[in-house]
Amino acid sequence: MATELQTELAPERAAPKPAQPERGSAPANKPARAGRGALAIAGEKLIEFVIRLCGISAIIFVFSIFFFVFREAAPLFFQKHEPPAQPEAVVERHADDHSPAAKKFALKEFLFSKEWYPTSQSNVRFGVLALIVGTLSVTALAMIIAVPFGLGAAVFVSEFCGGKIKETLKIVIELLAAIPSVVWGFIGLTVMNPIIQDLFHAPIGLNMLNGAILLALMSVPIMVSIGEDSLKAVPDSFREAGLALGATRWQLVYRVLLPAAKNGLLAAVLLGVGRAVGETMAVLMATGHAVNIPFVTADGSFNPLFIFEPVRTLTATIAAELGEASEGSQHYRVLFLIGVLLFSMTFIVNLTADLIIRGIKKR
Amino acid sequence: MSDPQKLAITTRALNLWYAKFQALIDVTVDIKHGIITSLIGPSGCGKTTLLRCFNRVNERYGYVTTTGEIKLHGKNIYDDDVSLVELRKSAGMVFQRPNPLPISVYENVVFGLRIHKEGGDLKRSVLDEAVEVALTEVGLWQDLKDRLDMRATNLQLEQQQKLCIARLLPLKPEIILMDEPCSALDVEGTRAIEELMFALKGRYTIVIVTHNMAQARRASDECIFMLLGELIEHSRTEELFLTPKNPKTADYIEGRYG
């Protein structure tokens, strides 16, 4: 019955429309439909545009931040703070040289001198070598602590525990990431400081070790979550293959999972490095903030107890001094140049990571 | 050849539950040494589960309960003194999808040696020889001898599956368990694996799970038919296909369900 009705109705419906359009409604209908279509198309275009914008916004932000930071720093290289008559050699002046405060900025001195006296009345010197060494050494020590912990925790969460423990651990580890960095700094200042003094008989507890421990704790959560994700992404068939060959759990991790997940694990470590290099508040509060190259003693020999030396990082310097530097002054511009330097460092880290991962993929 | 009376795998009243679901019901079976035994049956009948009991690889899921007895060469594999590592060494497994490890061909073959042996047994010359012997046995040596450093996951599927068989051999297993080893392969690949099975038979007991009745018919000496967790019939392959004793078997091999 129903099919009969339909077949009978269908030609009837289809036929009259082209033949005799209904008064008013049919001609109105067609443009209306087209209008809705246009609106829908416009809407779609708009959404597409917005999504595209979201996609490229990252590029826009990166470039505009870089542009802004560089614009503030650039005049250092172009402005002449001294009479052109003075010889080039002034850049090599020593501490005892009592010349006017403002002098020509020299990139070489900036990068390779450890003299950081940005507010000196008599002889301003902007050497960030000690700060670079501070940043790199704190980060390196932090990674030495964090990588085994972070990757170990990732392996444990992903492979060795199940069900409730796993869920609880993941939540707690993510909570660790939620602690504000100033709170970490606070812990470094009031809790770790006396502990390090008592435990190691260090003269001060605010030192490289303190900062590195905090940075390690701060970068562990990101390593665990990215590392766990990449271990989870290893196909189960690899685990079965290993187990069926009689591998123990540890052999499975060591011989199968770690090689299979190495890209993701490397990414996890590098994200941790990025976190550590960029961290400001905690290191400002916990490292002692003294311009100091920790590996060298006063008499110029190697210092084996360098981890108990206070250091200062690039980030902490910017945070501590930018508020005090008058806008447009040489000090202000040098701080921005430190920003450029930090930017370049993280850029190089990320680029290397990218190239390494690509290289691994190709093989 | 092998002693036809010698039994490689025996089970008695084997029951297995995945949580509440009973996947194997009172399975009692004797699998003879040195021949190819195929396990057939429709999806979900428990044939893969049964196979995976033989090297206890089922146990990696925490919710599996097993009762009954499984003996490999007379030794109950659920005894306390059985080491999983040794068990899995003696009963190697080949999976449905070829799963070479994401390392080189060479390292795949010596993987078993590396995890089971130590010190002097891991000398480069020993490993080299093991690789050559194993790859020759599965017919890959001529193709791959110059490409041993190649990542195993970049091989063709057929070569991957052969490699998965080759990597069992250095451990000198007594039993090779195959879980639909040809289902990811084309006709040529399937034929190559079947030929390899014939070549290995005698020295190894081979148990193969297959969906493909034609394969069971042409490639196995004995055949086990399972349905809904129960063992329905176990006999010589020709007998099972030509004169099935159980009407359910007859219906299945005639394709009335499955």
Side-chain angles (χ1 to χ4, degrees), chain B:
Chain B
M1 275 283 279
S2 56
D3 173 8
Q5 296 312 309
K6 202 174 153 196
L7 296 177
I9 307 170
T10 58
T11 74
R12 293 290 172 265
L14 180 67
N15 290 287
L16 181 141
W17 291 263
Y18 290 117
K20 295 254 167 66
F21 173 74
Q22 188 164 8
L24 292 179
I25 304 160
D26 202 20
V27 174
T28 293
V29 65
D30 293 324
I31 294 173
K32 295 193 185 70
H33 176 77
I35 62 169
I36 302 174
T37 304
S38 61
L39 283 166
I40 61 169
S43 292
C45 69
K47 53 194 191 302
T48 295
T49 301
L50 179 62
L51 190 78
R52 290 165 69 98
C53 280
F54 297 152
N55 67 353
R56 290 176 64 181
V57 87
N58 265 336
E59 286 168 34
R60 57 186 299 249
Y61 309 111
Y63 51 86
V64 172
T65 337
T66 317
T67 63
E69 186 189 87
I70 304 175
K71 282 185 175 172
L72 261 58
H73 293 289
K75 174 77 186 153
N76 189 351
I77 61 171
Y78 285 96
D79 279 354
D80 291 337
D81 63 336
V82 167
S83 113
L84 272 185
V85 169
E86 289 303 312
L87 168 66
R88 288 171 181 165
K89 195 172 129 187
S90 68
M93 185 166 233
V94 180
F95 293 84
Q96 190 166 357
R97 281 206 65 84
N99 59 352
L101 297 168
I103 44 182
S104 70
V105 171
Y106 186 94
E107 284 300 319
N108 260 284
V109 179
V110 299
F111 184 88
L113 291 177
R114 283 203 196 282
I115 60 178
H116 290 292
K117 302 265 162 61
E118 44 196 87
D121 291 334
L122 290 179
K123 271 186 299 203
R124 185 79 193 181
S125 55
V126 177
L127 296 183
D128 284 347
E129 201 196 325
V131 170
E132 182 171 350
V133 169
L135 288 182
T136 308
E137 193 144 13
V138 298
L140 281 178
W141 179 249
Q142 284 307 322
D143 291 340
L144 294 182
K145 64 181 176 191
D146 301 321
R147 293 187 288 160
L148 294 176
D149 289 335
M150 184 181 172
R151 250 176 103 97
T153 41
N154 292 344
L155 295 172
Q156 296 160 13
L157 276 181
E158 177 195 328
Q159 292 178 321
Q160 289 189 15
Q161 196 63 300
K162 283 180 172 173
L163 180 65
C164 289
I165 297 172
R167 73 178 169 195
L168 305 174
L169 305 181
L171 294 176
K172 312 217 179 326
E174 284 143 336
I175 298 165
I176 297 179
L177 307 168
M178 295 183 171
D179 184 2
E180 300 193 36
C182 302
S183 65
L185 304 180
D186 59 11
V187 178
E188 278 304 302
T190 304
R191 206 184 49 167
I193 298 293
E194 283 171 9
E195 275 167 11
L196 177 55
M197 282 161 52
F198 287 130
L200 296 175
K201 147 181 152 176
R203 280 169 296 161
Y204 305 95
T205 304
I206 297 177
V207 184
I208 173 174
V209 164
T210 178
H211 250 109
N212 181 339
M213 268 187 280
Q215 180 175 47
R217 195 165 182 169
R218 68 178 172 255
S220 66
D221 301 309
E222 291 204 351
C223 190
I224 297 169
F225 173 64
M226 291 183 72
L227 188 64
L228 298 172
E230 286 179 279
L231 189 147
I232 305 292
E233 192 162 345
H234 177 192
S235 58
R236 294 195 55 78
T237 302
E238 308 92 80
E239 278 173 39
L240 189 127
F241 278 95
L242 294 175
T243 53
K245 291 183 203 79
N246 193 305
K248 288 177 189 165
T249 316
D251 285 351
Y252 180 70
I253 59 179
E254 278 166 30
R256 299 220 181 99
Y257 61 88

Side-chain angles (χ1 to χ4, degrees), chain A residues 137-160:
Chain A
S137 55
V138 171
T139 305
L141 185 59
M143 286 306 115
I144 290 171
I145 302 168
V147 169
F149 266 94
L151 297 189
V155 167
F156 178 74
V157 169
S158 155
E159 304 299 323
F160 286 82

Side-chain angles (χ1 to χ4, degrees), chain A residues 236-238 240 243 245 251, chain B residues 52 60 88 99-100 115-116:
Chain A
D236 216 33
S237 65
F238 291 165
E240 286 199 322
L243 283 179
L245 281 165
Q251 286 172 327
Chain B
R52 290 165 69 98
R60 57 186 299 249
R88 288 171 181 165
N99 59 352
I115 60 178
H116 290 292

